[in-house]
Amino acid sequence: MQPLLSIESVSKRFAAHQALRDIDLSVDAGEFIALLGPSGCGKTTLLRCIAGFLMPDSGRIVIDGENITSAPPHRRPLNTVFQSYALFPHMSVLDNVAYGPRRAGVGRAEAHARACDALDLVGLGEMGPRLPRELSGGQQQRVALARAIVNRPKLLLLDEPLSALDLKLRRRMQVELKHIQEKLGIAFIFVTHDQEEAMAMADRIVVMNAGRVEQIGTPSQIYRAPVSRFVAEFVGEPNLIPVQQAGPGRVRLAIAGLELPAADGMRCAMVRPEDISLIEGTAPDGIATAPGVVEEVLAIGPMTTLLVRCGDLQLKVARLGMSGTEFPAGSPVTLGLRPAALHLIAE
Ligand code: ATP
């Protein structure tokens, strides 16, 4: 099947700054893609190239088989939702949403009918007669979304659309936006620097770093099998355990005496804090163990993180519940490692 969008070797430079380097990405119809990365890594620049507000220096952008690299923004079958909603303050919500179709030459009645549909979809069917200032921040964001989908684009670009909302509302809007996207079947490319947001919403995450694509994968691939230390650290808390060559195609972990098959050049094994267990009594089959001492207990609600000294390493161990009282600082513990939970990284 032909992808909806193909980005092929796109590069973009601003004076001395290389903002995008050889970006390749293909997006299927109806897919939810998150562009994730630290400030300045090129997310917005990539989005603006797709939207047509910026022209890449090299490479191609193809939508539905058509090369649109140099097409003006309004000739592209897509729309953009920005962080600022930019609603017209003096127009009703309905007129704000009907504005696009009206400008495209659609008659008033038809434009209003389409606007009503779009408002229904975002759960604001009753709000048409109101002015934008009579809505909450979350509702205004949904009007901006209705305005962007009213012409049924194949692709919607969203640049940190939830970042102006407070945390609680933001979490709720993430769920709503995901439902709306599924209902519409429109592909979304969603820029965020919030890894939890990307994990919660996206079918696939594109992790960017310094103008490059670092990794593309499903949230669980990105979390469980990061290709680099950068990705491992950007999408959660990694424990990085050094490894040494132990023979052809094998490495040995610095702790627990564990040996693993490995490709050349692997430097450390990554394990998430929730994948290290504390063993009481005899270790179950297949679990490698290492002795440690609890150095610190960070009690943070439903999860407790223990910082455990193990040789030269300090490892984070996350446990469900408030188990800080069971293993206070100074307690000797036995760490349990499951080989399948270890993921080797080159750098
Ligand atoms: P943020 O999360 O902070 O929005 P971002 O990943 O979206 O960051 P971009 O806005 O794409 O980053 O910027 C990438 C780099 O290119 C930055 O270093 C930025 O300063 C630079 N840049 C972006 N636009 C321009 C421009 N018009 N002229 C010069 N430099 C620019």
Side-chain angles (χ1 to χ4, degrees), residues 14-15 17-20 37-46 48 54 159-160 191-193 208:
F14 298 110
H17 184 77
Q18 190 73 44
L20 297 176
S39 182
C41 71
K43 306 178 296 288
T44 299
T45 302
L46 181 57
R48 292 172 66 83
L54 273 178
D159 194 356
E160 307 231 16
V191 165
T192 180
H193 58 256
M208 294 180 66

Side-chain angles (χ1 to χ4, degrees), residues 85-343:
Y85 326 131
L87 301 176
F88 299 118
H90 57 284
M91 277 189 197
S92 71
V93 163
L94 187 68
D95 285 334
N96 261 283
V97 180
Y99 182 81
R102 287 288 285 147
R103 260 193 49 175
V106 175
R108 189 182 163 80
E110 172 65 18
H112 275 184
R114 289 190 199 175
C116 283
D117 280 351
L119 284 171
D120 275 343
L121 252 166
V122 300
L124 291 180
E126 311 291 300
M127 300 290 179
R130 291 212 196 167
L131 288 172
R133 67 163 179 273
E134 295 166 332
L135 302 182
S136 71
Q139 289 168 333
Q140 290 183 33
Q141 184 52 267
R142 278 188 273 167
V143 176
L145 182 65
R147 202 172 49 174
I149 59 174
V150 68
N151 284 332
R152 295 300 165 107
K154 293 183 172 170
L155 175 62
L156 197 63
L157 310 177
L158 303 100
D159 194 356
E160 307 231 16
L162 307 181
S163 61
L165 307 177
D166 68 56
L167 189 66
K168 235 177 165 170
L169 181 57
R170 185 172 179 157
R171 295 281 175 251
R172 211 176 69 211
M173 282 298 292
Q174 287 168 0
V175 177
E176 281 190 23
L177 202 55
K178 176 82 186 150
H179 285 156
I180 292 169
Q181 188 266 344
E182 282 166 357
K183 213 159 36 175
L184 281 169
I186 293 177
F188 276 25
I189 300 182
F190 187 100
V191 165
T192 180
H193 58 256
D194 175 344
Q195 48 103 358
E196 275 184 44
E197 186 160 281
M199 293 281 193
M201 300 176 81
D203 297 317
R204 284 190 304 151
I205 298 175
V206 179
V207 182
M208 294 180 66
N209 179 20
R212 285 203 178 81
V213 170
E214 190 88 9
Q215 186 170 5
I216 302 177
T218 63
S220 84
Q221 284 165 346
I222 297 277
Y223 186 74
R224 294 280 157 213
V227 296
S228 62
R229 191 182 181 121
F230 174 86
V231 175
E233 285 173 347
F234 200 78
V235 299
E237 292 275 4
N239 288 297
L240 297 168
I241 304 171
V243 298
Q244 275 193 333
Q245 205 67 35
R250 293 191 74 73
V251 291
R252 184 181 301 112
L253 240 57
I255 60 168
L258 193 62
E259 282 196 17
L260 298 168
D264 282 351
M266 293 298 152
R267 303 281 291 280
C268 60
M270 195 252 1
V271 58
R272 296 293 180 190
E274 64 276 20
D275 289 329
I276 302 182
S277 51
L278 296 185
I279 305 290
E280 294 170 83
T282 322
D285 274 359
I287 302 285
T289 60
V293 175
V294 176
E295 286 191 326
E296 213 173 312
V297 179
L298 311 171
I300 41 161
M303 288 291 263
T304 301
T305 300
L306 308 176
L307 302 181
V308 178
R309 171 64 47 189
C310 185
D312 294 340
L313 300 172
Q314 190 187 52
L315 299 175
K316 297 175 210 82
V317 179
R319 292 172 55 85
L320 219 49
M322 309 286 279
S323 55
T325 48
E326 289 169 62
F327 301 99
S331 310
V333 290
T334 302
L335 302 178
L337 292 171
R338 230 173 356 104
L342 294 163
H343 174 73

